[in-house]
Amino acid sequence: MAEALRLYLVLARAEYRSAAQHRASFALLALTSTLLVALDFVVIAFLLQRIPRLGGFSLAELGVLYGLASTAERLADLMVGDIEKVGVQVKAGTFDLVLLRPGPALVQVAAPSCRPQMLGRPLQALVILGISLSQAGVPWSWDRVALLPATVACGTLIMVAVWVAGAAFTFVAVDARESMNAFTYGGGVLAQYPLSIYASWFRHLFTFVLPVAFVSWFPALHLLGRPDPLGLPEWFRFAAPVAADASTTVAAVAWRAAVRRYRSTGS
Amino acid sequence: MTGPILLLDAVEKHFTVRRGKGWHRERTVVKAVDGISLEVERGAFVGCLGPNGAGKSTTVKLCTGILVPSAGSVRVAGLDPTRQRIEVAGRIGAVFGQRTTLWWDLPLRDSLDLLARVYRLPADRHRRRIDQLVELLDLGPLLPVPVRQLSLGQRMRGDLAAALVHEPEILHLDEPTVGLDVVSKQRVREFLARENAEHGTTVVLTTHDLTDIQRLCRRVLVIDHGKVVHDGSIDDLMRRFGDERTLVVDLDEPAAPIQVAGARVVRVDGPRQWLRFRSADVSAAQLVAAVAATHGLRDLSVEEPDVDEVVRRLYGTSDR
Amino acid sequence: MGLWLAVARHSFRRASAYPAAVVAGLLTNTVFGCVRAWVLLAAFAGGARMGGYDATDAVTFSFLTQGLIMATGGWNLGELPERIRTGDIAVDLHRPVDLQAWWLAADLGRSAFHLVARGVVPLLAGAALFDLRWPTRAGAIALPLSLALAVLVSFGLRYLLSLACFWLLDERGLNAVYGLLNLFLNGLLLPLVLFPGWLRAVALHLPWAMTMQVPADVWLGKHDGAVPMARTLGLQALWAAILLLGGRAVTRLAVRKVVVHGG
């Protein structure tokens, strides 16, 4: 594990230095990710200027949902976002190079995602989360304080798992890799809003199949001390670690199977 | 450590190929590698020849752990690349003619440092090894240059350094001299010969360039249709497939193709004729005497087959 | 004329080469369309009207805009910036063909494919799951013209921004900024009509609004009537002209400056 992390950081640093060769781009990227305020939250604020509540949630409460969802998604993007490119590598034949090196394929393929110039993105989301929590009238208690970092960590793991599982799929269907965006970025976006606004089949898909609802919705219900409008069991609010564990296990299995398949079929 | 560095035992690799479009596609199983067994001892310098599509690249991929065999087993330094890919990766190096293993945007120096870190070289060995490679391959002036700006020959030298940074026990090369100018090719060959002689690095060289084979390889494998059709020295190869020679005769005047036992005319150009014959059937001297007996002979020469010719003939003997 | 048709046709064919990618993209469009639709439905709960829209308008808007993403160039500036960065552009500039016209023809071919391939299915999916608003007669007649102008404006914008690579030398940062602005100012995050106050007025007159918001509004019948329609289409045409002419001027500057970078 430590060795994998070491290799990840070594390769990430290489990618950083590659990007730093292009100073103008680097500056623009750093700028957009730090100064440009989270536009997808800005539009929520726009809506809440016209209506008092969305799906029964006030602006601050929506900010909590948004903050949790966005932090997890952007952290996951920063950790493994680039693995969706593995499909391109497979097609170009450069994945062989990954297999030649003494390191786990996943680490090698994911490492370029770690771009310090993009650190502004999850930080923005965290700031919004922090401000929203202070404005949302959270009935603070010790369990809520403890829940917060655990939620962010588990949420990030869930999103990482979705990404990795998606990448495993692209091994099999290289040309259809864009379909993964529906679940990785799509999952991130839907988690920004109250789960209750979606149709039931959609909710079930993103609770029990892709447990994105555990990234923001269930933890937020507990943080905000709200009853669940959908009437799901109370313990769901604390089930993020279970969801994270299950999804990372599934994702790891899927990835290993995908690499095994590549080594068997050569494509 | 004793034992062969590379061991293949009845290795096969099957691919399922789908032809046609739509839902009803025909599936055929292609045996890219159809039962290859071989041992390569440490310090060997092996050349690998074969027509395109013969299964050479697939064999290299099986030896390096990129692919896993459908049947049989592969052992590299006693390890199984199927199950122990990462350990094996630390002991092998590979260079591909068409694709670089370096980081495109980074200066060469950074790529080499990075690889040393990836392969976890201890700090003192790291420095020493890179300096050594830089000197041997004359990479000094190239170190600060981004890899994307290097010429093909320069990049190839960079790739060689990259493959050897971690002092692998076995080095696989796939068409390393393709597209290089004569001087660059020479440099690469000299480097490889020295690396093999001084470091004892086993080298497996897959190439279409027969001069590479002649200059460097003590052992030649010819692979065709997924099988090894020849395994021996260059001389063995020539002896087995190269015993046909050509007698070129300049007659006093143009004549019809000469009929003589044991030889056949393959080309006529005015008074000059080319007769192909096998030493087993008739000796050169006998043939000359036979021709001189019936035609006025002005001049003659005997052409040995070159490796090109031999290999062409070798490839030509298979059904394609 | 034959040359431009050939370029457009070739570009169309390239875009259609990977049907699996199209299907995958349609899945993504549909999911995003649904998510945006549900959010807006929640916002319009109780029969509210905002920004001249009702719930049905908003839901329809979600699927219309998703369908138009690829026709208006997608999330990045395309292949031109990379060609400029690698220096391949020098080859193009040496040809006795107008650079902008060439890229325009290619873009039209590509857009034509995506208009059909990606524009229709999200709407059908949306219709299966929600109640949609269908165009009035006036809207249906004006729609093709509005779409054509939208594509022209989109091309003009992308082409002009791409030329910045002659001075910036690397396109990654530029693409990132463009992608973000696109998302926000196209109305993909929120219909522009729902933006507050002065921002709404500004956003509705920017070129980005011409590419998605305007054709969507034409479909939704928001500009029915000779005068409103003429003003709307006129504004699209005006922006198309400004951007295309601007593109020509900057091309001349760029040619003078040609710096072949790389290689």
Side-chain angles (χ1 to χ4, degrees):
Chain A
M1 190 63 210
E3 167 55 26
L5 186 60
R6 185 204 71 93
L7 181 63
Y8 182 88
L9 290 172
V10 166
L11 291 172
R13 194 158 157 270
E15 196 60 34
Y16 166 76
R17 300 183 67 177
S18 276
Q21 304 275 321
H22 304 280
R23 265 174 269 255
S25 252
F26 192 89
L28 263 171
L29 277 171
L31 188 82
T32 54
S33 74
T34 345
L35 291 187
L36 233 55
V37 181
L39 292 173
D40 47 355
F41 183 68
V42 167
V43 297
I44 298 180
F46 283 176
L47 265 179
L48 272 279
Q49 279 198 331
R50 293 172 181 267
I51 56 178
R53 290 178 162 261
L54 181 77
F57 281 62
S58 68
L59 181 60
E61 290 171 333
L62 288 171
V64 171
L65 272 173
Y66 173 89
L68 288 172
S70 206
T71 305
E73 191 220 314
R74 291 173 182 196
L75 278 175
D77 195 358
L78 209 56
M79 284 165 66
V80 299
D82 260 25
I83 56 172
E84 58 189 16
K85 298 200 177 125
V86 77
V88 179
Q89 287 183 319
V90 164
K91 219 169 173 187
T94 53
F95 188 71
D96 289 352
L97 188 57
V98 169
L99 293 172
L100 275 173
R101 296 240 201 280
L106 182 57
V107 168
Q108 293 185 59
V109 181
S113 321
C114 193
R115 283 181 270 247
Q117 63 269 34
M118 304 291 262
L119 200 60
R121 293 170 22 99
L123 282 177
Q124 274 175 28
L126 274 172
V127 166
I128 292 175
L129 178 62
I131 296 176
S132 303
L133 281 170
S134 69
Q135 301 290 312
V138 172
W140 287 108
S141 55
W142 283 115
D143 59 308
R144 288 191 170 85
V145 173
L147 188 65
L148 212 43
T151 303
V152 172
C154 291
T156 306
L157 280 174
I158 292 174
M159 294 308 292
V160 166
V162 173
W163 239 290
V164 171
F169 176 74
T170 61
F171 267 94
V172 178
V174 181
D175 288 332
R177 64 183 176 275
E178 205 195 318
S179 54
M180 281 304 108
N181 290 349
F183 303 107
T184 52
Y185 295 111
V189 168
L190 73 93
Q192 294 172 2
Y193 299 93
L195 200 70
S196 45
I197 67 175
Y198 305 119
S200 67
W201 61 270
F202 199 77
R203 289 199 308 264
H204 290 142
L205 177 63
F206 287 99
T207 306
F208 300 109
V209 179
L210 293 167
V212 170
F214 293 93
V215 173
S216 58
W217 172 251
F218 291 113
L221 285 179
H222 183 70
L223 280 170
L224 299 168
R226 293 179 66 117
D228 184 352
L230 304 165
L232 285 161
E234 182 83 21
W235 62 266
F236 268 46
R237 302 167 183 224
F238 308 100
V242 174
D245 192 39
S247 45
T248 46
T249 307
V250 171
V253 168
W255 175 266
R256 268 196 283 266
V259 175
R260 217 182 6 251
R261 185 180 175 281
Y262 179 86
R263 294 177 76 198
S264 274
T265 61
S267 65
Chain B
M1 223 222 119
T2 53
I5 181 78
L6 181 61
L7 177 65
L8 275 77
D9 184 14
V11 169
E12 289 182 32
K13 185 67 194 154
H14 310 156
F15 290 120
T16 314
V17 176
R18 287 189 210 123
R19 275 176 230 281
K21 289 194 157 219
W23 294 109
H24 299 286
R25 300 196 203 176
E26 257 183 48
R27 285 185 183 207
T28 38
V29 175
V30 171
K31 290 194 175 182
V33 175
D34 191 6
I36 291 188
S37 295
L38 60 94
E39 280 182 38
V40 177
E41 81 275 9
R42 288 173 186 278
F45 203 129
V46 181
C48 201
L49 282 175
N52 290 327
K56 298 194 307 293
S57 300
T58 309
T59 309
V60 173
K61 289 187 185 180
L62 288 166
C63 293
T64 51
I66 293 173
L67 292 178
V68 302
S70 308
S73 70
V74 177
R75 292 287 177 272
V76 177
L79 300 168
D80 180 1
T82 304
R83 282 175 228 286
Q84 298 163 290
R85 178 184 73 78
I86 294 180
E87 287 100 317
V88 169
R91 310 239 198 151
I92 63 177
V95 177
F96 299 102
Q98 275 85 3
R99 286 183 298 230
T100 184
T101 58
L102 301 164
W103 276 260
W104 203 239
D105 286 315
L106 289 178
L108 180 59
R109 177 200 297 119
D110 288 7
S111 266
L112 295 175
D113 278 337
L114 186 58
L115 282 167
R117 260 187 267 274
V118 168
Y119 284 97
R120 293 153 79 191
L121 286 186
D124 55 332
R125 265 178 71 196
H126 173 149
R127 260 284 60 78
R128 220 182 319 134
R129 184 59 176 155
I130 292 186
D131 289 341
Q132 194 179 50
L133 287 166
V134 165
E135 204 198 306
L136 285 171
L137 287 160
D138 196 17
L139 296 172
L142 302 176
L143 286 176
V145 180
V147 170
R148 65 169 186 273
Q149 291 176 7
L150 295 176
S151 74
L152 188 61
Q154 294 170 331
R155 207 206 70 205
M156 178 50 60
R157 277 150 48 209
D159 274 323
L160 277 171
L164 292 164
V165 158
H166 58 293
E167 295 176 294
E169 294 167 54
I170 179 167
L171 177 67
H172 291 271
L173 299 134
D174 192 352
E175 312 256 13
T177 58
V178 80
L180 296 184
D181 62 73
V182 178
V183 174
S184 299
K185 282 194 195 185
Q186 187 57 18
R187 262 168 142 168
V188 169
R189 285 184 201 133
E190 276 168 8
F191 175 79
L192 288 173
R194 183 195 243 132
E195 189 64 28
N196 175 252
E198 289 179 12
H199 271 94
T201 312
T202 311
V203 180
V204 178
L205 172 65
T206 305
T207 183
H208 279 303
D209 186 328
L210 292 151
T211 325
D212 285 347
I213 303 271
Q214 279 178 302
R215 300 262 173 91
L216 298 169
C217 307
R218 295 183 286 281
R219 178 176 169 196
V220 178
L221 294 167
V222 182
I223 295 183
D224 196 12
H225 278 112
K227 293 192 170 65
V228 176
V229 296
H230 176 82
D231 181 357
S233 65
I234 277 265
D235 292 334
D236 287 342
L237 188 68
M238 299 299 286
R239 222 170 297 139
R240 200 172 140 193
F241 296 99
D243 67 341
E244 260 194 353
R245 293 186 291 169
T246 309
L247 176 68
V248 186
V249 292
D250 282 342
L251 303 173
D252 283 334
E253 57 198 15
I258 302 169
Q259 308 278 9
V260 63
R264 69 182 197 285
V265 176
V266 293
R267 193 173 154 203
V268 175
D269 187 5
R272 179 172 288 188
Q273 297 193 14
W274 285 256
L275 292 94
R276 190 133 322 138
F277 68 100
R278 293 177 61 181
S279 314
D281 300 335
V282 60
S283 77
Q286 287 171 323
L287 193 56
V288 169
V291 171
T294 50
H295 295 72
L297 197 55
R298 187 169 299 173
D299 200 357
L300 64 89
S301 67
V302 178
E303 282 179 5
E304 303 288 326
D306 57 13
V307 185
D308 258 314
E309 174 80 33
V310 170
V311 176
R312 221 178 297 137
R313 236 177 274 159
L314 186 62
Y315 290 2
T317 58
S318 42
D319 316 308
R320 254 181 204 285
Chain C
M1 189 58 199
L3 173 63
W4 305 129
L5 269 176
V7 172
R9 204 178 309 136
H10 175 71
S11 186
F12 184 100
R13 239 177 254 142
R14 271 185 69 201
S16 62
Y18 295 100
V22 172
V23 173
L26 286 170
L27 178 66
T28 311
N29 288 142
T30 307
V31 169
F32 273 95
C34 288
V35 172
R36 302 274 175 223
W38 275 312
V39 170
L40 289 169
L41 267 179
F44 281 86
R49 282 193 74 90
M50 292 187 282
Y53 273 29
D54 67 8
T56 315
D57 289 328
V59 168
T60 312
F61 180 89
S62 304
F63 291 99
L64 283 171
T65 50
Q66 283 294 318
L68 283 176
I69 292 174
M70 286 307 287
T72 55
W75 302 117
N76 56 50
L77 296 167
E79 298 169 333
L80 181 53
E82 198 185 341
R83 279 188 81 81
I84 296 176
R85 172 172 61 88
T86 59
D88 289 345
I89 196 71
V91 172
D92 297 346
L93 290 172
H94 273 111
R95 288 206 202 104
V97 181
D98 187 283
L99 186 71
Q100 190 189 42
W102 177 280
W103 284 91
L104 176 58
D107 200 61
L108 287 175
R110 200 194 51 83
S111 292
F113 173 75
H114 286 299
L115 262 175
V116 177
R118 301 283 287 259
V120 175
V121 172
L123 271 174
L124 295 177
L129 296 164
F130 301 86
D131 282 324
L132 296 188
R133 174 142 291 132
W134 299 97
T136 59
R137 223 170 119 243
I141 292 173
L143 189 66
L145 181 57
S146 186
L147 282 173
L149 289 170
V151 172
L152 281 175
V153 171
S154 167
F155 167 78
L157 188 60
R158 276 177 287 125
Y159 180 80
L160 198 51
L161 288 176
S162 299
L163 293 181
C165 273
F166 276 104
W167 288 270
L168 275 178
L169 292 180
D170 185 83
E171 82 277 15
R172 272 176 285 190
L174 197 60
N175 269 326
V177 177
Y178 173 77
L180 207 56
L181 282 177
N182 234 21
L183 191 62
F184 187 61
L185 295 172
N186 267 338
L188 281 161
L189 285 178
L190 184 72
L192 300 179
V193 296
L194 295 178
F195 277 29
W198 60 270
L199 198 55
R200 172 175 192 255
V202 170
L204 283 171
H205 289 85
L206 289 176
W208 281 274
M210 306 296 120
T211 62
M212 286 200 190
Q213 181 74 50
V214 166
D217 281 344
V218 167
W219 174 290
L220 293 170
K222 300 300 172 196
H223 297 290
D224 278 6
V227 173
M229 193 64 81
R231 269 214 344 247
T232 304
L233 296 174
L235 188 57
Q236 274 187 305
L238 181 62
W239 267 115
I242 293 174
L243 290 167
L244 289 171
L245 288 172
R248 300 195 73 66
V250 177
T251 308
R252 240 168 314 184
L253 282 175
V255 170
R256 227 174 284 161
K257 193 227 181 257
V258 165
V259 172
V260 179
H261 178 82

